[in-house]
Structure formats: structure tokens, C-alpha cells
Amino acid sequence: ASNVTKLLNDIPVHQREDAVNSLAYEADARVKDPVYGCVGAISILQRQIIHLQKELAIARSELARYTGIGMLGA
């Protein structure tokens, strides 16, 4: 607790609420995943973003193909 107090005292007052929220989030993440904590959650989210970006690229490609075919036939 003294480390947290020292940390919070070193942070500007207007940023302390965000710091407390971040510490609480990390503590909760450590309870759920003692090894990786919030880094594990971030890693999962990054993989999901990469997967969704690939899906979006495929959907855009298909849309462009269909739009191109429709324009040629008009």
C-alpha cells in the first residue's frame, strides 16, 4: 500500500483517478490471469484486430469485384 501511496503522490492530482482505475484494472486482470495480467488481454485483442482487418480486406475485395462486374454490365 505504501508503494501505491507514493506512486499516487508523484502523479499530478488531475491524473490520479485515471491512475487508480489503471491499477485496479491491472489488479483485476492479475486475478483472472496471474501470469500475463492485462498484457494477456491486450495480446488477445491485438490478435482479434489482425483477424478482423483480414476479414475486412477480404470483404472490401469482394465488394470491389462485385461492384466492378456490375459497372461493366451497365
Side-chain angles (χ1 to χ4, degrees), residues 2-72:
S2 64
N3 289 339
V4 173
T5 302
K6 184 178 181 332
L7 174 74
L8 293 175
N9 285 333
D10 291 342
I11 295 174
V13 174
H14 68 278
Q15 293 179 335
R16 288 182 185 166
E17 183 179 356
D18 289 337
V20 168
N21 290 336
S22 294
L23 290 169
Y25 181 84
E26 174 62 26
D28 185 54
R30 282 282 171 195
V31 168
K32 293 176 183 172
D33 185 347
V35 176
Y36 295 108
C38 65
V39 174
I42 291 168
S43 178
I44 290 168
L45 292 171
Q46 286 176 329
R47 285 194 303 266
Q48 287 178 345
I49 289 171
I50 292 167
H51 175 74
L52 292 171
Q53 286 173 330
K54 289 177 183 177
E55 284 187 11
L56 181 59
I58 291 168
R60 285 182 173 160
S61 175
E62 290 177 3
L63 181 60
R65 188 172 26 151
Y66 291 127
T67 303
I69 291 172
M71 294 177 87
L72 292 175

